[in-house]
Amino acid sequence: MKDKKLPLVILAAVMVVMAVAIYGRLTQYKNDNNYKFTANMALEKDDKVSAQTEDDLIISEKEAVSLVLDQIDPKEYSVAPIDGLKEIDEAKYYLFDIVNKSGPSFAMKIAINARIGQMLAYDPDKKALVSMEFFPLKTPMGQAQDWNGVYKKEESSDAMPLVSVNLRRGDLQDFEFDIVKEENGEALIILSGIAQISGSNALYKDGEGNELLFIKKDGLLKLREPGSGALGGDKLTLQGTYVQQD
């Protein structure tokens, strides 16, 4: 009886040894290739994030610097970019130091939204964005701006109807606006709302993720509308330069 069981015991032992050997080879293979697999997955993920970030950031750092320079007196102040983008309130911003040439430096920074170009002040102590009216320049930005009047879009054609913007200042923080499309002799209001002022720009949000930025300078009004241009309706983009009417 013992002789009959012996071959079975030997066979079972051989199978165990083979299973252990195979498991060891598989484990080694996994360990040898794990780094490569992980690195490729991370690279693929990083590529997707980078592509998404690049699509969202329509304002370059050079454009952001230009937006800041438009609003300061170069005889009194200079701009020093802070390297890299900073994520604040789930959005990307370029940050800038404003250097006072004849006095103490400012603790606050200027922040430019990298998606739409909105300018805000950034308080590093509170880690919070605030209106540019709180930035301690000699003349608070925005208060000298006249957010009133009628502005007409420079570009118009038969395929692109004439669009005008009517601004009505409410208080120091906001203004009301109507955007009017003139077509076939009729004036149709295509968008109305209230924009929140921050310095020389103001931002309107429609509550559905769409934004419209107003930038005021030298009698011109520029509108920025990132994304699909859904605010104008019928594929009508509101983005462009508008000239103040007498």
Side-chain angles (χ1 to χ4, degrees):
M1 192 74 176
K2 290 182 180 180
D3 294 338
K4 292 182 179 180
K5 289 184 177 180
L6 184 60
L8 294 176
V9 172
I10 295 174
L11 179 61
V14 171
M15 291 180 66
V16 168
V17 171
M18 291 179 63
V20 170
I22 292 172
Y23 177 80
R25 292 293 298 274
L26 289 174
T27 302
Q28 183 62 41
Y29 177 83
K30 181 180 178 181
N31 290 337
D32 291 343
N33 289 275
N34 185 57
Y35 173 76
K36 183 178 179 181
F37 176 77
T38 304
N40 288 340
M41 289 292 288
L43 182 61
E44 181 179 347
K45 181 179 179 182
D46 288 344
D47 286 343
K48 289 179 180 178
V49 171
S50 298
Q52 182 181 3
T53 302
E54 186 177 349
D55 290 340
D56 288 343
L57 305 184
I58 64 171
I59 305 297
S60 67
E61 186 177 49
K62 184 177 180 180
E63 289 176 297
V65 170
S66 179
L67 289 172
V68 177
L69 289 174
D70 281 346
Q71 306 305 321
I72 65 173
D73 184 348
K75 295 179 181 178
E76 295 189 18
Y77 308 105
S78 61
V79 179
I82 299 173
D83 291 340
L85 286 164
K86 184 176 180 64
E87 185 168 334
I88 308 171
D89 295 340
E90 299 183 352
K92 302 286 187 181
Y93 288 86
Y94 297 105
L95 293 183
F96 300 92
D97 278 317
I98 303 301
V99 180
N100 191 344
K101 296 181 179 180
S102 60
S105 298
F106 299 112
M108 275 194 174
K109 317 296 181 186
I110 286 182
I112 299 291
N113 186 299
R115 179 172 179 267
I116 193 171
Q118 182 189 23
M119 182 187 297
L120 294 165
Y122 178 69
D123 187 333
D125 293 330
K126 297 180 180 179
K127 297 182 179 180
L129 295 166
V130 297
S131 171
M132 281 302 302
E133 275 75 22
F134 292 97
F135 199 95
L137 293 173
K138 290 183 179 179
T139 302
M141 289 200 243
Q143 294 197 7
Q145 294 288 351
D146 181 13
W147 292 100
N148 291 287
V150 177
Y151 299 78
K152 289 193 175 181
K153 197 171 188 180
E154 285 184 328
E155 310 89 1
S156 62
S157 64
D158 293 337
M160 183 65 68
L162 186 64
V163 178
S164 61
V165 181
N166 185 2
L167 305 181
R168 301 179 299 280
R169 183 74 179 250
D171 53 31
L172 289 177
Q173 285 74 44
D174 58 42
F175 61 80
E176 297 180 22
F177 69 89
D178 296 319
I179 298 181
V180 180
K181 177 176 68 173
E182 300 177 23
E183 196 170 21
N184 299 324
E186 288 189 63
L188 304 173
I189 296 177
I190 56 177
L191 182 65
S192 295
I194 298 176
Q196 302 297 315
I197 299 170
S198 176
S200 63
N201 59 73
L203 185 66
Y204 165 75
K205 296 183 178 182
D206 70 350
E208 298 181 4
N210 299 306
E211 297 174 317
L212 186 64
L213 182 70
F214 299 75
I215 303 174
K216 188 84 183 299
K217 186 188 177 187
D218 300 332
L220 296 177
L221 179 68
K222 293 184 178 181
L223 301 189
R224 287 184 182 270
E225 184 186 14
S228 61
L231 290 172
D234 298 326
K235 298 182 180 180
L236 173 62
T237 178
L238 303 179
Q239 184 161 300
T241 301
Y242 295 70
V243 181
Q244 189 169 12
Q245 305 300 294
D246 296 331

mmCIF file of all heavy atoms in Angstrom, residues 58-78:
data_model
loop_
_atom_site.group_PDB
_atom_site.id
_atom_site.type_symbol
_atom_site.label_atom_id
_atom_site.label_comp_id
_atom_site.label_asym_id
_atom_site.label_seq_id
_atom_site.Cartn_x
_atom_site.Cartn_y
_atom_site.Cartn_z
ATOM 1 N N ILE A 58 -5.888 80.314 -22.545
ATOM 2 C CA ILE A 58 -5.832 81.042 -23.811
ATOM 3 C C ILE A 58 -5.062 82.345 -23.663
ATOM 4 O O ILE A 58 -4.775 83.014 -24.643
ATOM 5 C CB ILE A 58 -7.250 81.332 -24.347
ATOM 6 C CG1 ILE A 58 -8.020 82.254 -23.395
ATOM 7 C CG2 ILE A 58 -8.006 80.059 -24.596
ATOM 8 C CD1 ILE A 58 -9.328 82.745 -23.967
ATOM 9 N N ILE A 59 -4.717 82.727 -22.433
ATOM 10 C CA ILE A 59 -3.932 83.934 -22.195
ATOM 11 C C ILE A 59 -2.489 83.512 -21.926
ATOM 12 O O ILE A 59 -2.216 82.752 -21.005
ATOM 13 C CB ILE A 59 -4.468 84.721 -20.978
ATOM 14 C CG1 ILE A 59 -5.954 85.042 -21.149
ATOM 15 C CG2 ILE A 59 -3.663 86.002 -20.768
ATOM 16 C CD1 ILE A 59 -6.279 85.931 -22.303
ATOM 17 N N SER A 60 -1.562 83.997 -22.742
ATOM 18 C CA SER A 60 -0.147 83.688 -22.512
ATOM 19 C C SER A 60 0.399 84.611 -21.428
ATOM 20 O O SER A 60 -0.207 85.638 -21.086
ATOM 21 C CB SER A 60 0.647 83.887 -23.801
ATOM 22 O OG SER A 60 0.678 85.265 -24.155
ATOM 23 N N GLU A 61 1.560 84.248 -20.892
ATOM 24 C CA GLU A 61 2.167 85.105 -19.872
ATOM 25 C C GLU A 61 2.508 86.472 -20.450
ATOM 26 O O GLU A 61 2.379 87.501 -19.771
ATOM 27 C CB GLU A 61 3.418 84.447 -19.303
ATOM 28 C CG GLU A 61 4.012 85.229 -18.139
ATOM 29 C CD GLU A 61 5.211 84.553 -17.516
ATOM 30 O OE1 GLU A 61 6.112 84.151 -18.275
ATOM 31 O OE2 GLU A 61 5.245 84.432 -16.284
ATOM 32 N N LYS A 62 2.919 86.510 -21.714
ATOM 33 C CA LYS A 62 3.231 87.779 -22.372
ATOM 34 C C LYS A 62 1.991 88.667 -22.443
ATOM 35 O O LYS A 62 2.064 89.879 -22.188
ATOM 36 C CB LYS A 62 3.784 87.513 -23.779
ATOM 37 C CG LYS A 62 4.237 88.777 -24.509
ATOM 38 C CD LYS A 62 4.832 88.429 -25.861
ATOM 39 C CE LYS A 62 5.290 89.687 -26.593
ATOM 40 N NZ LYS A 62 5.868 89.358 -27.922
ATOM 41 N N GLU A 63 0.850 88.078 -22.801
ATOM 42 C CA GLU A 63 -0.394 88.847 -22.834
ATOM 43 C C GLU A 63 -0.774 89.321 -21.445
ATOM 44 O O GLU A 63 -1.274 90.440 -21.269
ATOM 45 C CB GLU A 63 -1.518 87.994 -23.423
ATOM 46 C CG GLU A 63 -1.405 87.728 -24.908
ATOM 47 C CD GLU A 63 -2.493 86.796 -25.406
ATOM 48 O OE1 GLU A 63 -2.535 85.639 -24.960
ATOM 49 O OE2 GLU A 63 -3.312 87.245 -26.232
ATOM 50 N N ALA A 64 -0.557 88.473 -20.445
ATOM 51 C CA ALA A 64 -0.878 88.846 -19.066
ATOM 52 C C ALA A 64 -0.032 90.037 -18.621
ATOM 53 O O ALA A 64 -0.539 90.968 -17.981
ATOM 54 C CB ALA A 64 -0.663 87.650 -18.141
ATOM 55 N N VAL A 65 1.253 90.023 -18.965
ATOM 56 C CA VAL A 65 2.127 91.151 -18.630
ATOM 57 C C VAL A 65 1.602 92.429 -19.287
ATOM 58 O O VAL A 65 1.555 93.497 -18.665
ATOM 59 C CB VAL A 65 3.574 90.875 -19.080
ATOM 60 C CG1 VAL A 65 4.431 92.132 -18.948
ATOM 61 C CG2 VAL A 65 4.174 89.752 -18.263
ATOM 62 N N SER A 66 1.194 92.319 -20.547
ATOM 63 C CA SER A 66 0.670 93.479 -21.268
ATOM 64 C C SER A 66 -0.583 94.038 -20.601
ATOM 65 O O SER A 66 -0.756 95.258 -20.496
ATOM 66 C CB SER A 66 0.363 93.087 -22.717
ATOM 67 O OG SER A 66 -0.170 94.188 -23.436
ATOM 68 N N LEU A 67 -1.461 93.144 -20.125
ATOM 69 C CA LEU A 67 -2.672 93.594 -19.436
ATOM 70 C C LEU A 67 -2.335 94.372 -18.171
ATOM 71 O O LEU A 67 -2.991 95.367 -17.847
ATOM 72 C CB LEU A 67 -3.554 92.389 -19.092
ATOM 73 C CG LEU A 67 -4.252 91.688 -20.255
ATOM 74 C CD1 LEU A 67 -4.925 90.403 -19.784
ATOM 75 C CD2 LEU A 67 -5.275 92.601 -20.905
ATOM 76 N N VAL A 68 -1.308 93.933 -17.463
ATOM 77 C CA VAL A 68 -0.898 94.638 -16.246
ATOM 78 C C VAL A 68 -0.258 95.977 -16.587
ATOM 79 O O VAL A 68 -0.568 97.010 -15.974
ATOM 80 C CB VAL A 68 0.080 93.776 -15.419
ATOM 81 C CG1 VAL A 68 0.564 94.542 -14.192
ATOM 82 C CG2 VAL A 68 -0.588 92.478 -14.991
ATOM 83 N N LEU A 69 0.628 95.981 -17.587
ATOM 84 C CA LEU A 69 1.320 97.219 -17.961
ATOM 85 C C LEU A 69 0.355 98.292 -18.438
ATOM 86 O O LEU A 69 0.619 99.492 -18.289
ATOM 87 C CB LEU A 69 2.356 96.926 -19.051
ATOM 88 C CG LEU A 69 3.591 96.141 -18.607
ATOM 89 C CD1 LEU A 69 4.467 95.798 -19.810
ATOM 90 C CD2 LEU A 69 4.394 96.926 -17.578
ATOM 91 N N ASP A 70 -0.764 97.859 -19.012
ATOM 92 C CA ASP A 70 -1.767 98.825 -19.476
ATOM 93 C C ASP A 70 -2.383 99.618 -18.330
ATOM 94 O O ASP A 70 -2.981 100.680 -18.558
ATOM 95 C CB ASP A 70 -2.894 98.098 -20.228
ATOM 96 C CG ASP A 70 -2.490 97.745 -21.646
ATOM 97 O OD1 ASP A 70 -1.467 98.282 -22.123
ATOM 98 O OD2 ASP A 70 -3.181 96.927 -22.273
ATOM 99 N N GLN A 71 -2.262 99.107 -17.104
ATOM 100 C CA GLN A 71 -2.997 99.695 -15.986
ATOM 101 C C GLN A 71 -2.110 100.392 -14.951
ATOM 102 O O GLN A 71 -2.614 100.834 -13.920
ATOM 103 C CB GLN A 71 -3.826 98.606 -15.292
ATOM 104 C CG GLN A 71 -4.730 97.841 -16.224
ATOM 105 C CD GLN A 71 -5.647 98.758 -17.015
ATOM 106 O OE1 GLN A 71 -6.156 99.741 -16.477
ATOM 107 N NE2 GLN A 71 -5.861 98.432 -18.267
ATOM 108 N N ILE A 72 -0.829 100.471 -15.185
ATOM 109 C CA ILE A 72 0.043 101.124 -14.212
ATOM 110 C C ILE A 72 0.847 102.226 -14.881
ATOM 111 O O ILE A 72 0.994 102.257 -16.110
ATOM 112 C CB ILE A 72 1.002 100.113 -13.547
ATOM 113 C CG1 ILE A 72 1.978 99.543 -14.576
ATOM 114 C CG2 ILE A 72 0.234 99.016 -12.834
ATOM 115 C CD1 ILE A 72 3.060 98.677 -13.963
ATOM 116 N N ASP A 73 1.348 103.141 -14.078
ATOM 117 C CA ASP A 73 2.211 104.216 -14.563
ATOM 118 C C ASP A 73 3.650 103.710 -14.545
ATOM 119 O O ASP A 73 4.225 103.500 -13.470
ATOM 120 C CB ASP A 73 2.060 105.443 -13.654
ATOM 121 C CG ASP A 73 2.859 106.636 -14.171
ATOM 122 O OD1 ASP A 73 3.684 106.453 -15.086
ATOM 123 O OD2 ASP A 73 2.660 107.747 -13.634
ATOM 124 N N PRO A 74 4.265 103.505 -15.716
ATOM 125 C CA PRO A 74 5.621 102.947 -15.758
ATOM 126 C C PRO A 74 6.669 103.846 -15.116
ATOM 127 O O PRO A 74 7.769 103.388 -14.807
ATOM 128 C CB PRO A 74 5.881 102.754 -17.257
ATOM 129 C CG PRO A 74 4.951 103.708 -17.930
ATOM 130 C CD PRO A 74 3.736 103.776 -17.065
ATOM 131 N N LYS A 75 6.346 105.127 -14.917
ATOM 132 C CA LYS A 75 7.281 106.027 -14.250
ATOM 133 C C LYS A 75 7.331 105.758 -12.746
ATOM 134 O O LYS A 75 8.327 106.056 -12.087
ATOM 135 C CB LYS A 75 6.889 107.484 -14.502
ATOM 136 C CG LYS A 75 6.990 107.902 -15.961
ATOM 137 C CD LYS A 75 6.563 109.352 -16.135
ATOM 138 C CE LYS A 75 6.633 109.777 -17.599
ATOM 139 N NZ LYS A 75 6.177 111.176 -17.781
ATOM 140 N N GLU A 76 6.245 105.207 -12.223
ATOM 141 C CA GLU A 76 6.167 104.980 -10.781
ATOM 142 C C GLU A 76 6.295 103.505 -10.390
ATOM 143 O O GLU A 76 6.745 103.191 -9.288
ATOM 144 C CB GLU A 76 4.848 105.516 -10.233
ATOM 145 C CG GLU A 76 4.708 107.027 -10.352
ATOM 146 C CD GLU A 76 3.490 107.549 -9.613
ATOM 147 O OE1 GLU A 76 2.965 106.823 -8.750
ATOM 148 O OE2 GLU A 76 3.056 108.669 -9.903
ATOM 149 N N TYR A 77 5.897 102.616 -11.322
ATOM 150 C CA TYR A 77 5.846 101.196 -10.975
ATOM 151 C C TYR A 77 6.470 100.346 -12.080
ATOM 152 O O TYR A 77 6.494 100.729 -13.254
ATOM 153 C CB TYR A 77 4.401 100.741 -10.770
ATOM 154 C CG TYR A 77 3.608 101.591 -9.806
ATOM 155 C CD1 TYR A 77 2.641 102.485 -10.270
ATOM 156 C CD2 TYR A 77 3.820 101.501 -8.433
ATOM 157 C CE1 TYR A 77 1.911 103.266 -9.394
ATOM 158 C CE2 TYR A 77 3.090 102.272 -7.546
ATOM 159 C CZ TYR A 77 2.137 103.154 -8.024
ATOM 160 O OH TYR A 77 1.418 103.923 -7.158
ATOM 161 N N SER A 78 6.951 99.184 -11.692
ATOM 162 C CA SER A 78 7.397 98.180 -12.660
ATOM 163 C C SER A 78 6.763 96.844 -12.296
ATOM 164 O O SER A 78 6.289 96.649 -11.171
ATOM 165 C CB SER A 78 8.925 98.061 -12.668
ATOM 166 O OG SER A 78 9.403 97.655 -11.399
#
